Amino acid sequence: METASWLEEIQAALQAASSWGEVEAIRVAWLGRRGRITEALRGLGRLPAEERRSRGQALNALRQAAEAAISSRLEALKAEAELAALARERLDMSWPGVVPRVGRLHPVTRVRQLVEDVFLRMGFSMVGGPEVESLWYNFEALNMPENHPARDMQDSFFVNVPGMVLRTQTSPMQIRAMEAAQGRLPVRIIATGRVYRRDDDATHVPMFTQMEALVIDREIGMADLKGTLLLLGRALFGPETQIRLRPSYFPFTEPSAEVDVTCANCHGSGCRVCKETGWLEILGAGMVHPTVLRNGGYDPDQVSGFAFGLGLERVAMIRYRFDDLRLLYQNDWRFLQQFGRGEDGW
Ligand code: PHE
């Protein structure tokens, strides 16, 4: 019978269809307004009555079968598409995650925080001042008049403004702090910041960081300086650390000293780091010169004081055991990532 072969034809076409669009085209061809089944149903009226009935039943059955076959094919295609999408979009939960790079504190920042902490606990206040400084504060007020040979020790960067330099040391903060204190006692400050000198080799960079300390009160002596420095040395390099003061010269202190700590690497027995001496120089210090006290508005007959200046890059170099200071400012991630993790308290 004709309707049976039509159904076979429809099923074969559906089987070959691989998309919703192809199935839809088949539906239109058979069941659409001008579809073959639709046309056949429409033609029933022209048939003799006895034929019309059985033919009508067969065509209606065919239409239902075709509709069922079409919707089951659509279901099957939908299921196939879902499976394909699942396979395509599969997430492998066992893949390692993407670890974000975590920023770390710069070694100089770590050292700065540690040192500032020690002094804040001892009752010092923190002050800050300009990096572009006048010749008066940077040199003259500190007993370094023009043509003073000590100015050569700190080869300066000059700026376009006459009478101004990039400060070569944090010592101008001694004068600024005394002025701000207006004669009150005690003066007990630290000042950390960048300083600039025309220097560039493995142990000098043109910009580095100093921490200045200044104490002024009645009856301040060398013992106060030594005690403070010993405490600082131990905070930086461990409780076994010893210090040593060697006579030196700075125009703004008298007497003056270079201060060494026992080598953090060999603890004094001598090694490559300390060039077999057992000692490492870390700072300059001394008793504040009478002229400097006067320039700050204090009477050297009434008060005395001590001061020192510490290079933080040098401390970082000793503490972290690297031998080229320039590494600190080249911003090589491979270098910097080794520090500032904090698990050793650093
Ligand atoms: N300002 C001196 C320097 O930069 C260090 C220093 C500070 C020395 C305070 C004595 C007192 O070399």
Side-chain angles (χ1 to χ4, degrees):
M1 167 134 168
E2 187 192 29
T3 53
S5 71
W6 279 9
L7 187 57
E8 272 170 32
E9 202 179 316
I10 291 167
Q11 280 166 339
L14 284 174
Q15 221 36 63
S18 60
S19 69
W20 179 88
E22 285 172 38
V23 174
E24 177 62 9
I26 294 164
R27 193 192 63 77
V28 170
W30 293 90
L31 299 168
R33 274 176 4 97
R34 319 211 44 149
R36 285 165 76 180
I37 294 174
T38 315
E39 295 280 6
L41 282 165
R42 215 176 275 138
L44 283 176
R46 279 181 262 114
L47 293 178
E50 61 275 22
E51 230 179 288
R52 193 188 301 161
R53 186 180 149 86
S54 63
R55 173 89 173 147
Q57 277 173 351
L59 279 174
N60 272 319
L62 173 65
R63 192 183 64 198
Q64 277 170 20
E67 279 169 353
I70 285 168
S71 60
S72 87
R73 184 65 188 141
L74 280 178
E75 285 295 315
L77 282 177
K78 205 173 131 197
E80 265 172 44
E82 273 170 8
L83 279 176
L86 274 179
R88 198 172 50 241
E89 294 162 18
R90 196 178 143 201
L91 271 188
D92 183 347
M93 303 304 271
S94 70
W95 266 62
V98 179
V99 183
R101 277 190 177 182
V102 179
R104 300 182 195 284
L105 291 178
H106 192 274
V108 173
T109 305
R110 305 277 314 190
V111 169
R112 173 180 183 159
Q113 288 178 343
L114 183 94
V115 184
E116 287 179 346
D117 241 45
V118 171
F119 283 91
L120 290 178
R121 269 184 273 135
M122 286 195 285
F124 285 65
S125 343
M126 254 162 61
V127 297
E131 291 176 24
V132 180
E133 186 57 284
S134 70
L135 291 171
W136 165 255
Y137 282 111
N138 195 80
F139 293 122
E140 265 118 74
L142 291 167
N143 204 24
M144 298 170 87
E146 215 182 334
N147 302 322
H148 192 294
R151 282 207 190 181
D152 298 342
M153 285 159 54
Q154 301 179 3
D155 205 351
S156 315
F157 286 110
F158 292 92
V159 293
N160 270 342
V161 185
M164 303 294 281
V165 280
L166 294 186
R167 68 178 175 190
T168 60
Q169 49 186 353
T170 43
S171 299
M173 291 311 297
Q174 293 184 26
I175 307 293
R176 290 182 174 276
M178 283 188 271
E179 283 178 355
Q182 296 185 309
R184 286 186 298 266
L185 292 174
V187 176
R188 204 152 48 200
I189 60 101
I190 52 170
T192 317
R194 294 188 184 111
V195 300
Y196 304 83
R197 292 182 198 175
R198 292 187 49 189
D199 256 339
D200 203 359
D201 58 46
T203 53
H204 298 90
V205 283
M207 181 206 81
F208 62 105
T209 317
Q210 275 191 342
M211 194 198 79
E212 192 84 7
L214 173 72
V215 173
I216 293 169
D217 206 348
R218 293 182 205 285
E219 294 179 26
I220 294 291
M222 282 292 271
D224 300 301
L225 171 60
K226 277 191 79 172
T228 308
L229 292 175
L230 184 61
L231 204 129
L232 171 63
R234 293 189 169 171
L236 284 175
F237 305 113
E240 310 299 320
T241 307
Q242 297 291 336
I243 61 163
R244 151 178 111 168
L245 274 63
R246 282 177 292 112
S248 184
Y249 174 76
F250 297 104
F252 35 91
T253 47
E254 180 58 35
S256 301
E258 305 268 18
V259 180
D260 301 340
V261 291
T262 41
C263 178
N265 191 46
C266 65
H267 305 289
S269 57
C271 67
R272 201 180 53 88
V273 175
C274 58
K275 300 199 183 80
E276 308 300 331
T277 64
W279 296 95
L280 294 167
E281 184 190 324
I282 59 162
L283 57 84
M287 303 308 295
V288 182
H289 194 285
T291 302
V292 174
L293 284 171
R294 252 181 248 113
N295 286 339
Y298 284 81
D299 179 355
D301 293 327
Q302 300 293 315
V303 302
S304 54
F306 69 75
F308 64 82
L310 173 72
L312 298 189
E313 284 77 4
R314 180 142 175 80
V315 171
M317 202 162 138
I318 297 168
R319 170 70 213 185
Y320 293 119
R321 291 173 203 190
F322 54 92
D323 53 15
D324 191 335
L325 210 130
R326 291 169 293 196
L327 287 167
L328 285 171
Y329 295 109
Q330 285 162 354
N331 280 338
D332 187 327
W333 167 253
R334 292 166 301 176
F335 175 74
L336 293 176
Q337 66 153 355
Q338 301 173 67
F339 313 110
R341 277 171 236 234
E343 67 275 342
D344 60 348
W346 286 76

CSV table of all heavy atoms in Angstrom, one decimal, residues 49-105:
chain,number,residue,atom,x,y,z
A,49,ALA,N,-17.2,7.4,-2.3
A,49,ALA,CA,-17.4,7.3,-0.8
A,49,ALA,C,-16.8,6.1,-0.2
A,49,ALA,O,-16.1,6.2,0.9
A,49,ALA,CB,-18.9,7.3,-0.5
A,50,GLU,N,-16.9,4.9,-0.8
A,50,GLU,CA,-16.4,3.7,-0.2
A,50,GLU,C,-14.9,3.7,-0.1
A,50,GLU,O,-14.3,3.2,0.9
A,50,GLU,CB,-16.9,2.4,-1.0
A,50,GLU,CG,-16.4,2.3,-2.4
A,50,GLU,CD,-17.4,3.1,-3.4
A,50,GLU,OE1,-18.1,4.0,-2.9
A,50,GLU,OE2,-17.3,2.8,-4.6
A,51,GLU,N,-14.2,4.2,-1.1
A,51,GLU,CA,-12.7,4.4,-1.1
A,51,GLU,C,-12.3,5.4,0.0
A,51,GLU,O,-11.3,5.3,0.6
A,51,GLU,CB,-12.2,4.8,-2.5
A,51,GLU,CG,-11.1,3.9,-3.0
A,51,GLU,CD,-10.7,4.4,-4.4
A,51,GLU,OE1,-11.5,4.1,-5.3
A,51,GLU,OE2,-9.6,5.0,-4.5
A,52,ARG,N,-13.0,6.5,0.0
A,52,ARG,CA,-12.7,7.7,0.8
A,52,ARG,C,-12.4,7.3,2.3
A,52,ARG,O,-11.5,7.8,2.9
A,52,ARG,CB,-13.8,8.7,0.7
A,52,ARG,CG,-13.4,10.1,1.3
A,52,ARG,CD,-14.6,11.0,1.4
A,52,ARG,NE,-15.3,11.2,0.1
A,52,ARG,CZ,-16.5,11.6,-0.1
A,52,ARG,NH1,-17.3,11.9,1.0
A,52,ARG,NH2,-17.1,11.7,-1.3
A,53,ARG,N,-13.3,6.4,2.8
A,53,ARG,CA,-13.2,6.1,4.2
A,53,ARG,C,-11.9,5.4,4.6
A,53,ARG,O,-11.2,5.8,5.5
A,53,ARG,CB,-14.4,5.2,4.6
A,53,ARG,CG,-14.6,4.9,6.0
A,53,ARG,CD,-15.8,4.0,6.2
A,53,ARG,NE,-15.6,3.2,7.4
A,53,ARG,CZ,-15.8,3.5,8.6
A,53,ARG,NH1,-16.3,4.7,8.9
A,53,ARG,NH2,-15.6,2.7,9.6
A,54,SER,N,-11.6,4.3,3.9
A,54,SER,CA,-10.4,3.6,4.2
A,54,SER,C,-9.1,4.3,3.9
A,54,SER,O,-8.1,4.4,4.7
A,54,SER,CB,-10.3,2.2,3.5
A,54,SER,OG,-10.3,2.4,2.1
A,55,ARG,N,-9.2,5.1,2.8
A,55,ARG,CA,-8.0,5.9,2.4
A,55,ARG,C,-7.8,7.0,3.4
A,55,ARG,O,-6.7,7.3,3.8
A,55,ARG,CB,-8.3,6.5,1.0
A,55,ARG,CG,-7.3,7.6,0.5
A,55,ARG,CD,-6.2,7.0,-0.2
A,55,ARG,NE,-5.4,8.0,-0.8
A,55,ARG,CZ,-4.1,7.9,-1.0
A,55,ARG,NH1,-3.5,6.8,-0.7
A,55,ARG,NH2,-3.4,8.9,-1.5
A,56,GLY,N,-8.9,7.6,3.9
A,56,GLY,CA,-8.8,8.6,5.0
A,56,GLY,C,-8.2,8.1,6.2
A,56,GLY,O,-7.3,8.7,6.8
A,57,GLN,N,-8.6,6.9,6.7
A,57,GLN,CA,-8.1,6.3,7.9
A,57,GLN,C,-6.6,6.1,7.7
A,57,GLN,O,-5.8,6.4,8.6
A,57,GLN,CB,-8.8,5.0,8.2
A,57,GLN,CG,-10.1,5.2,8.9
A,57,GLN,CD,-10.8,3.8,9.1
A,57,GLN,OE1,-10.5,2.8,8.5
A,57,GLN,NE2,-11.9,3.9,9.9
A,58,ALA,N,-6.2,5.5,6.5
A,58,ALA,CA,-4.8,5.2,6.3
A,58,ALA,C,-3.9,6.5,6.3
A,58,ALA,O,-2.9,6.6,6.9
A,58,ALA,CB,-4.6,4.5,5.0
A,59,LEU,N,-4.5,7.6,5.6
A,59,LEU,CA,-3.7,8.8,5.6
A,59,LEU,C,-3.6,9.4,7.0
A,59,LEU,O,-2.5,10.0,7.3
A,59,LEU,CB,-4.4,9.8,4.6
A,59,LEU,CG,-4.1,9.6,3.1
A,59,LEU,CD1,-4.9,10.5,2.3
A,59,LEU,CD2,-2.6,9.8,2.8
A,60,ASN,N,-4.6,9.4,7.8
A,60,ASN,CA,-4.6,10.0,9.1
A,60,ASN,C,-3.6,9.2,10.0
A,60,ASN,O,-2.8,9.8,10.8
A,60,ASN,CB,-5.9,10.0,9.8
A,60,ASN,CG,-6.7,11.3,9.4
A,60,ASN,OD1,-6.1,12.4,9.4
A,60,ASN,ND2,-8.0,11.2,9.1
A,61,ALA,N,-3.6,7.9,9.8
A,61,ALA,CA,-2.6,7.1,10.6
A,61,ALA,C,-1.2,7.4,10.1
A,61,ALA,O,-0.3,7.6,11.0
A,61,ALA,CB,-2.9,5.6,10.4
A,62,LEU,N,-1.1,7.6,8.8
A,62,LEU,CA,0.3,7.9,8.3
A,62,LEU,C,0.7,9.3,8.9
A,62,LEU,O,1.8,9.5,9.3
A,62,LEU,CB,0.2,8.0,6.8
A,62,LEU,CG,1.5,8.6,6.1
A,62,LEU,CD1,2.7,7.6,6.4
A,62,LEU,CD2,1.3,8.8,4.6
A,63,ARG,N,-0.2,10.3,8.9
A,63,ARG,CA,0.1,11.6,9.4
A,63,ARG,C,0.6,11.5,10.9
A,63,ARG,O,1.6,12.1,11.2
A,63,ARG,CB,-1.1,12.5,9.3
A,63,ARG,CG,-0.7,14.0,9.5
A,63,ARG,CD,-1.8,14.9,9.5
A,63,ARG,NE,-2.7,14.6,10.6
A,63,ARG,CZ,-4.0,15.0,10.7
A,63,ARG,NH1,-4.5,15.7,9.7
A,63,ARG,NH2,-4.8,14.7,11.7
A,64,GLN,N,-0.2,10.7,11.7
A,64,GLN,CA,0.2,10.6,13.1
A,64,GLN,C,1.6,9.9,13.2
A,64,GLN,O,2.4,10.4,14.0
A,64,GLN,CB,-0.8,9.8,13.8
A,64,GLN,CG,-2.0,10.7,14.3
A,64,GLN,CD,-3.2,9.8,14.8
A,64,GLN,OE1,-3.0,8.7,15.2
A,64,GLN,NE2,-4.3,10.4,14.8
A,65,ALA,N,1.8,8.9,12.4
A,65,ALA,CA,3.1,8.2,12.5
A,65,ALA,C,4.2,9.1,12.1
A,65,ALA,O,5.3,9.1,12.7
A,65,ALA,CB,3.1,6.9,11.6
A,66,ALA,N,4.0,9.9,11.0
A,66,ALA,CA,5.0,10.8,10.5
A,66,ALA,C,5.3,11.9,11.6
A,66,ALA,O,6.5,12.2,11.9
A,66,ALA,CB,4.5,11.5,9.3
A,67,GLU,N,4.2,12.4,12.3
A,67,GLU,CA,4.5,13.4,13.3
A,67,GLU,C,5.3,12.8,14.5
A,67,GLU,O,6.2,13.4,15.0
A,67,GLU,CB,3.1,13.9,13.8
A,67,GLU,CG,2.6,15.0,12.9
A,67,GLU,CD,1.1,15.4,13.3
A,67,GLU,OE1,0.5,14.7,14.1
A,67,GLU,OE2,0.6,16.4,12.7
A,68,ALA,N,4.9,11.6,14.8
A,68,ALA,CA,5.7,10.9,15.9
A,68,ALA,C,7.1,10.7,15.5
A,68,ALA,O,8.0,10.9,16.3
A,68,ALA,CB,5.0,9.6,16.3
A,69,ALA,N,7.3,10.2,14.3
A,69,ALA,CA,8.7,9.9,13.8
A,69,ALA,C,9.5,11.2,13.8
A,69,ALA,O,10.7,11.3,14.2
A,69,ALA,CB,8.7,9.3,12.5
A,70,ILE,N,8.9,12.3,13.4
A,70,ILE,CA,9.6,13.6,13.3
A,70,ILE,C,10.0,14.1,14.8
A,70,ILE,O,11.1,14.4,15.0
A,70,ILE,CB,8.7,14.7,12.6
A,70,ILE,CG1,8.7,14.5,11.1
A,70,ILE,CG2,9.2,16.1,12.9
A,70,ILE,CD1,7.7,15.3,10.4
A,71,SER,N,9.0,14.0,15.7
A,71,SER,CA,9.4,14.5,17.0
A,71,SER,C,10.4,13.6,17.7
A,71,SER,O,11.2,14.1,18.4
A,71,SER,CB,8.1,14.8,17.9
A,71,SER,OG,7.4,13.6,18.0
A,72,SER,N,10.3,12.3,17.4
A,72,SER,CA,11.3,11.5,18.1
A,72,SER,C,12.7,11.7,17.5
A,72,SER,O,13.7,11.6,18.2
A,72,SER,CB,10.9,10.0,18.1
A,72,SER,OG,11.4,9.4,16.9
A,73,ARG,N,12.7,12.0,16.2
A,73,ARG,CA,14.0,12.3,15.6
A,73,ARG,C,14.6,13.6,16.2
A,73,ARG,O,15.8,13.7,16.4
A,73,ARG,CB,13.9,12.5,14.0
A,73,ARG,CG,15.2,12.7,13.3
A,73,ARG,CD,16.1,11.5,13.4
A,73,ARG,NE,17.5,11.8,12.9
A,73,ARG,CZ,18.6,11.4,13.5
A,73,ARG,NH1,18.6,10.7,14.6
A,73,ARG,NH2,19.8,11.7,12.9
A,74,LEU,N,13.7,14.6,16.4
A,74,LEU,CA,14.1,15.9,17.0
A,74,LEU,C,14.7,15.6,18.4
A,74,LEU,O,15.7,16.2,18.8
A,74,LEU,CB,13.0,16.9,17.0
A,74,LEU,CG,12.7,17.6,15.7
A,74,LEU,CD1,11.5,18.5,15.8
A,74,LEU,CD2,13.9,18.4,15.2
A,75,GLU,N,14.0,14.8,19.1
A,75,GLU,CA,14.4,14.5,20.5
A,75,GLU,C,15.8,13.9,20.4
A,75,GLU,O,16.7,14.2,21.2
A,75,GLU,CB,13.5,13.4,21.2
A,75,GLU,CG,12.2,14.0,21.6
A,75,GLU,CD,12.3,15.0,22.7
A,75,GLU,OE1,13.1,14.8,23.7
A,75,GLU,OE2,11.7,16.1,22.7
A,76,ALA,N,16.0,12.9,19.5
A,76,ALA,CA,17.3,12.2,19.4
A,76,ALA,C,18.4,13.2,19.1
A,76,ALA,O,19.5,13.1,19.6
A,76,ALA,CB,17.2,11.1,18.4
A,77,LEU,N,18.1,14.1,18.1
A,77,LEU,CA,19.1,15.1,17.7
A,77,LEU,C,19.5,16.0,18.9
A,77,LEU,O,20.6,16.3,19.1
A,77,LEU,CB,18.6,15.9,16.5
A,77,LEU,CG,18.6,15.3,15.1
A,77,LEU,CD1,18.0,16.2,14.1
A,77,LEU,CD2,20.1,14.9,14.7
A,78,LYS,N,18.5,16.4,19.7
A,78,LYS,CA,18.7,17.2,20.8
A,78,LYS,C,19.6,16.5,21.8
A,78,LYS,O,20.6,17.1,22.3
A,78,LYS,CB,17.4,17.6,21.5
A,78,LYS,CG,17.4,18.9,22.2
A,78,LYS,CD,16.0,19.3,22.7
A,78,LYS,CE,16.0,19.6,24.2
A,78,LYS,NZ,14.7,19.6,24.8
A,79,ALA,N,19.3,15.3,22.1
A,79,ALA,CA,20.1,14.5,23.0
A,79,ALA,C,21.6,14.4,22.5
A,79,ALA,O,22.5,14.5,23.3
A,79,ALA,CB,19.5,13.1,23.2
A,80,GLU,N,21.7,14.1,21.2
A,80,GLU,CA,23.1,14.0,20.7
A,80,GLU,C,23.8,15.3,20.8
A,80,GLU,O,25.0,15.3,21.2
A,80,GLU,CB,23.0,13.7,19.1
A,80,GLU,CG,23.1,12.3,18.8
A,80,GLU,CD,22.8,12.1,17.3
A,80,GLU,OE1,23.3,12.9,16.4
A,80,GLU,OE2,22.0,11.2,16.9
A,81,ALA,N,23.1,16.4,20.5
A,81,ALA,CA,23.8,17.7,20.7
A,81,ALA,C,24.2,18.0,22.1
A,81,ALA,O,25.3,18.5,22.3
A,81,ALA,CB,22.8,18.8,20.2
A,82,GLU,N,23.4,17.6,23.0
A,82,GLU,CA,23.8,17.8,24.4
A,82,GLU,C,25.0,17.0,24.8
A,82,GLU,O,25.9,17.5,25.5
A,82,GLU,CB,22.6,17.5,25.4
A,82,GLU,CG,21.7,18.6,25.6
A,82,GLU,CD,20.4,18.3,26.3
A,82,GLU,OE1,20.2,17.1,26.8
A,82,GLU,OE2,19.5,19.1,26.4
A,83,LEU,N,25.0,15.8,24.4
A,83,LEU,CA,26.2,14.9,24.7
A,83,LEU,C,27.5,15.5,24.1
A,83,LEU,O,28.5,15.6,24.7
A,83,LEU,CB,26.0,13.5,24.1
A,83,LEU,CG,25.1,12.6,25.0
A,83,LEU,CD1,24.9,11.2,24.3
A,83,LEU,CD2,25.8,12.4,26.4
A,84,ALA,N,27.3,16.0,22.8
A,84,ALA,CA,28.5,16.6,22.1
A,84,ALA,C,29.0,17.8,22.9
A,84,ALA,O,30.2,18.0,23.1
A,84,ALA,CB,28.1,17.0,20.7
A,85,ALA,N,28.0,18.7,23.4
A,85,ALA,CA,28.4,19.9,24.1
A,85,ALA,C,29.1,19.5,25.4
A,85,ALA,O,30.1,20.1,25.8
A,85,ALA,CB,27.1,20.7,24.4
A,86,LEU,N,28.6,18.5,26.1
A,86,LEU,CA,29.2,18.0,27.3
A,86,LEU,C,30.6,17.6,27.1
A,86,LEU,O,31.5,18.0,27.9
A,86,LEU,CB,28.4,16.9,27.9
A,86,LEU,CG,27.2,17.2,28.8
A,86,LEU,CD1,26.5,16.0,29.3
A,86,LEU,CD2,27.7,18.1,30.0
A,87,ALA,N,30.8,16.9,26.0
A,87,ALA,CA,32.2,16.4,25.8
A,87,ALA,C,33.1,17.6,25.4
A,87,ALA,O,34.2,17.7,25.9
A,87,ALA,CB,32.2,15.4,24.6
A,88,ARG,N,32.5,18.5,24.7
A,88,ARG,CA,33.3,19.7,24.2
A,88,ARG,C,33.7,20.6,25.4
A,88,ARG,O,34.8,21.1,25.6
A,88,ARG,CB,32.5,20.4,23.2
A,88,ARG,CG,33.3,21.4,22.3
A,88,ARG,CD,32.5,22.0,21.2
A,88,ARG,NE,31.2,22.5,21.7
A,88,ARG,CZ,30.0,22.0,21.3
A,88,ARG,NH1,30.0,21.1,20.4
A,88,ARG,NH2,28.9,22.6,21.7
A,89,GLU,N,32.7,20.8,26.3
A,89,GLU,CA,32.9,21.8,27.4
A,89,GLU,C,33.3,21.2,28.7
A,89,GLU,O,33.2,21.8,29.7
A,89,GLU,CB,31.6,22.6,27.6
A,89,GLU,CG,31.2,23.4,26.4
A,89,GLU,CD,29.7,23.8,26.4
A,89,GLU,OE1,29.1,23.7,27.5
A,89,GLU,OE2,29.2,24.2,25.3
A,90,ARG,N,33.8,20.0,28.6
A,90,ARG,CA,34.2,19.2,29.8
A,90,ARG,C,35.3,20.0,30.6
A,90,ARG,O,36.2,20.4,30.1
A,90,ARG,CB,34.7,17.9,29.4
A,90,ARG,CG,34.7,16.9,30.6
A,90,ARG,CD,35.2,15.6,30.1
A,90,ARG,NE,36.0,15.1,31.2
A,90,ARG,CZ,36.9,14.2,31.1
A,90,ARG,NH1,37.2,13.6,30.0
A,90,ARG,NH2,37.6,13.8,32.2
A,91,LEU,N,35.0,20.1,31.9
A,91,LEU,CA,36.0,20.8,32.8
A,91,LEU,C,36.8,19.7,33.5
A,91,LEU,O,36.2,18.8,34.2
A,91,LEU,CB,35.3,21.6,33.8
A,91,LEU,CG,34.9,23.0,33.5
A,91,LEU,CD1,34.4,23.7,34.8
A,91,LEU,CD2,36.2,23.8,33.0
A,92,ASP,N,38.1,19.8,33.4
A,92,ASP,CA,38.9,18.8,34.1
A,92,ASP,C,39.3,19.4,35.5
A,92,ASP,O,40.2,20.2,35.6
A,92,ASP,CB,40.2,18.5,33.3
A,92,ASP,CG,41.1,17.4,34.0
A,92,ASP,OD1,40.8,17.1,35.2
A,92,ASP,OD2,42.0,16.9,33.3
A,93,MET,N,38.6,18.9,36.5
A,93,MET,CA,38.7,19.5,37.8
A,93,MET,C,40.1,19.1,38.4
A,93,MET,O,40.4,19.7,39.5
A,93,MET,CB,37.6,19.0,38.7
A,93,MET,CG,36.2,19.4,38.2
A,93,MET,SD,36.1,21.1,37.9
A,93,MET,CE,35.5,21.7,39.5
A,94,SER,N,40.8,18.2,37.8
A,94,SER,CA,42.1,17.9,38.4
A,94,SER,C,43.3,18.8,38.0
A,94,SER,O,44.4,18.7,38.4
A,94,SER,CB,42.4,16.4,38.1
A,94,SER,OG,42.8,16.3,36.7
A,95,TRP,N,42.9,19.7,37.0
A,95,TRP,CA,44.0,20.6,36.6
A,95,TRP,C,44.5,21.5,37.7
A,95,TRP,O,43.6,22.0,38.5
A,95,TRP,CB,43.5,21.5,35.4
A,95,TRP,CG,43.8,21.0,34.1
A,95,TRP,CD1,43.3,19.8,33.6
A,95,TRP,CD2,44.6,21.6,33.1
A,95,TRP,NE1,43.8,19.6,32.3
A,95,TRP,CE2,44.6,20.7,32.0
A,95,TRP,CE3,45.3,22.8,33.0
A,95,TRP,CZ2,45.4,20.9,30.8
A,95,TRP,CZ3,46.1,23.0,31.9
A,95,TRP,CH2,46.1,22.1,30.8
A,96,PRO,N,45.8,21.8,37.8
A,96,PRO,CA,46.3,22.7,38.8
A,96,PRO,C,45.7,24.1,38.7
A,96,PRO,O,45.5,24.5,37.5
A,96,PRO,CB,47.8,22.7,38.7
A,96,PRO,CG,48.0,22.1,37.3
A,96,PRO,CD,46.8,21.3,36.9
A,97,GLY,N,45.4,24.8,39.8
A,97,GLY,CA,44.9,26.1,39.7
A,97,GLY,C,45.9,27.1,39.2
A,97,GLY,O,47.1,26.8,39.1
A,98,VAL,N,45.5,28.3,38.9
A,98,VAL,CA,46.4,29.4,38.5
A,98,VAL,C,46.8,30.1,39.7
A,98,VAL,O,46.0,30.7,40.4
A,98,VAL,CB,45.8,30.3,37.5
A,98,VAL,CG1,46.8,31.4,37.1
A,98,VAL,CG2,45.3,29.6,36.2
A,99,VAL,N,48.1,30.0,40.1
A,99,VAL,CA,48.6,30.7,41.3
A,99,VAL,C,48.9,32.1,41.0
A,99,VAL,O,49.8,32.4,40.2
A,99,VAL,CB,49.8,29.9,41.9
A,99,VAL,CG1,50.2,30.6,43.2
A,99,VAL,CG2,49.5,28.5,42.1
A,100,PRO,N,48.3,33.1,41.7
A,100,PRO,CA,48.6,34.5,41.4
A,100,PRO,C,49.9,34.8,42.0
A,100,PRO,O,50.3,34.3,43.1
A,100,PRO,CB,47.5,35.2,42.1
A,100,PRO,CG,46.9,34.3,43.1
A,100,PRO,CD,47.2,32.9,42.7
A,101,ARG,N,50.7,35.7,41.4
A,101,ARG,CA,51.9,36.2,41.9
A,101,ARG,C,51.6,37.1,43.1
A,101,ARG,O,50.8,38.1,42.9
A,101,ARG,CB,52.7,37.0,40.9
A,101,ARG,CG,53.5,36.1,40.0
A,101,ARG,CD,54.4,36.9,39.1
A,101,ARG,NE,55.3,36.1,38.3
A,101,ARG,CZ,56.2,36.6,37.5
A,101,ARG,NH1,56.4,37.9,37.4
A,101,ARG,NH2,56.9,35.8,36.7
A,102,VAL,N,52.2,36.9,44.2
A,102,VAL,CA,52.0,37.7,45.4
A,102,VAL,C,53.1,38.7,45.5
A,102,VAL,O,54.3,38.4,45.4
A,102,VAL,CB,51.9,36.8,46.6
A,102,VAL,CG1,51.6,37.7,47.9
A,102,VAL,CG2,50.8,35.8,46.5
A,103,GLY,N,52.7,40.0,45.7
A,103,GLY,CA,53.8,41.0,45.9
A,103,GLY,C,54.5,40.8,47.2
A,103,GLY,O,53.9,40.2,48.1
A,104,ARG,N,55.7,41.3,47.3
A,104,ARG,CA,56.4,41.2,48.6
A,104,ARG,C,57.0,42.5,48.9
A,104,ARG,O,57.3,43.3,48.0
A,104,ARG,CB,57.5,40.1,48.4
A,104,ARG,CG,57.1,38.8,48.1
A,104,ARG,CD,58.3,37.8,48.0
A,104,ARG,NE,57.9,36.6,47.3
A,104,ARG,CZ,57.2,35.6,47.9
A,104,ARG,NH1,56.8,35.7,49.1
A,104,ARG,NH2,57.0,34.5,47.2
A,105,LEU,N,57.3,42.7,50.2
A,105,LEU,CA,57.9,43.9,50.6
A,105,LEU,C,59.4,43.9,50.2
A,105,LEU,O,60.0,42.9,50.2
A,105,LEU,CB,57.8,44.1,52.1
A,105,LEU,CG,56.4,44.3,52.7
A,105,LEU,CD1,56.5,44.4,54.2
A,105,LEU,CD2,55.8,45.6,52.1
